[in-house]
């Protein structure tokens, strides 16, 4: 191309580039706004669910609990979340729905759905190094909790609960590779499910036990989600680094 042609094409090409940049900026701003609205909706639905539990208004729990994970998933989508994170939250939603039914088959289905979510989290966390002291602490907690619960659990639930507890503890232990926020989320998930297990074992419960279970669970999923988004570079205002292991979505 001649210098004259280049000069003639220059202004137009710069204008096209500026327009594309402005369009991308507007799209990013729209996603950020949508994300803030969805996160606020998640917080509102969580608060409504917890108030319903405190008031012993079960229809409110049935109404609001199923909204939590879809809202968190939608928020994560606006952040271009890794597919494995979306899958983990979707399996959490399946577990939420199953546990609305007070029957042993539903409990097993819910536990299986949550277990699949923990597998997604574990794969997402990758192979980062876990502190030996932390791993030892979680191992001791697993052995102690299962050992104490074992004799009080229904006989047909002992093996499933023990296997699930192993997977849950592994997820909670590995969550720390994504930072303190995700690590706290993993610990709260472990606490929430331990409260459920103590109820299944017919141990003495805190007042309004479902309130504490849902409060720790909702906080756990929120912290795991936002911790994972920050660690994978998908939070707003952060560029995602290229990845070749399928754990990160970097497509526009």
């Amino acid at each position: 191309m001649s210098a004259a042609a280049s000069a003639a094409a220059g202004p137009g090409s710069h204008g096209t580039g500026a327009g594309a940049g402005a369009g991308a900026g507007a799209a990013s701003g729209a996603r950020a706004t949508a994300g803030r609205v969805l996160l606020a909706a998640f917080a509102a639905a969580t608060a409504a669910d917890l108030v319903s539990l405190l008031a012993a208004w079960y229809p409110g729990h049935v109404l609001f609990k199923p909204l939590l994970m879809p809202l968190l998933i939608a928020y994560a989508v606006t952040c271009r979340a890794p597919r494995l994170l979306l899958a983990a939250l979707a399996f959490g939603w399946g577990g939420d729905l199953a546990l609305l039914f007070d029957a042993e088959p539903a409990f097993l289905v819910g536990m299986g759905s949550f277990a699949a979510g923990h597998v997604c989290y574990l794969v997402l966390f990758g192979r980062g190094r876990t502190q030996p002291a932390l791993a030892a602490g979680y191992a001791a907690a697993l052995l102690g909790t299962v050992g104490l619960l074992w004799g009080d659990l229904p006989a047909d639930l002992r093996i499933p609960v023990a296997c699930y507890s192993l997977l849950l503890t592994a997820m909670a232990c590995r969550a720390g590779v994504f930072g303190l926020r995700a690590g706290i989320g993993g610990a709260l998930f472990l606490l929430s499910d331990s409260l459920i297990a103590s109820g299944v074992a017919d141990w003495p419960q805190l007042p309004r036990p479902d309130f504490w279970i849902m409060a720790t669970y909702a906080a756990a999923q929120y912290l795991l989600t936002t911790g994972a988004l920050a660690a994978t570079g998908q939070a707003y205002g952060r560029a995602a680094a290229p990845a070749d292991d399928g754990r990160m979505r970097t497509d526009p």
Side-chain angles (χ1 to χ4, degrees):
M1 183 182 294
S2 68
S6 297
S13 61
H14 286 308
T16 301
S28 178
R31 284 197 305 271
T33 299
R36 286 190 289 270
V37 170
L38 288 164
L39 204 54
F42 169 76
T46 300
D49 185 45
L50 295 178
V51 169
S52 298
L53 292 172
L54 283 176
W57 185 46
Y58 188 71
H61 179 57
V62 173
L63 174 64
F64 294 114
K65 182 182 180 182
L67 299 178
L68 302 185
M69 290 307 101
L71 288 170
L72 201 53
I73 290 169
Y75 163 71
V77 168
T78 68
C79 299
R80 298 179 177 178
R83 290 183 294 271
L84 283 167
L85 175 58
L86 300 178
L89 295 172
F91 282 121
W93 185 50
D96 290 346
L97 297 179
L99 294 186
L100 287 173
F101 299 92
D102 188 15
E104 186 173 304
F107 177 77
L108 290 171
V109 169
M111 189 162 56
S113 190
F114 281 120
H118 297 326
V119 171
C120 292
Y121 275 128
L122 283 168
V123 177
L124 178 64
F125 295 151
R127 300 180 181 180
R129 184 174 180 272
T130 300
Q131 293 295 328
L134 181 65
Y138 272 111
L142 170 66
L143 294 174
T145 302
V146 172
L148 290 171
L149 288 169
W150 187 265
D152 295 326
L153 290 169
D156 57 337
L157 289 180
R158 289 172 183 169
I159 297 300
V161 168
C163 293
Y164 175 80
S165 298
L166 176 61
L167 193 57
L168 168 63
T169 305
M171 184 282 293
C173 181
R174 294 289 299 147
V177 303
F178 271 8
L180 180 61
R181 176 184 291 258
I184 294 173
L188 287 175
F189 211 134
L190 180 61
L191 174 59
S192 179
D193 281 5
S194 296
L195 293 173
I196 294 175
S198 70
V200 174
D202 205 22
W203 285 9
Q205 299 291 294
L206 295 168
R208 299 282 186 246
D210 287 346
F211 170 84
W212 301 107
I213 289 168
M214 283 305 302
T216 50
Y217 169 70
Q221 291 282 39
Y222 167 76
L223 291 172
L224 283 167
T225 297
T226 54
L229 290 172
T232 57
Q234 302 294 350
Y236 294 121
R238 296 184 58 180
D244 58 7
D245 59 0
R247 294 192 294 122
M248 187 182 301
R249 291 181 62 183
T250 58
D251 51 306

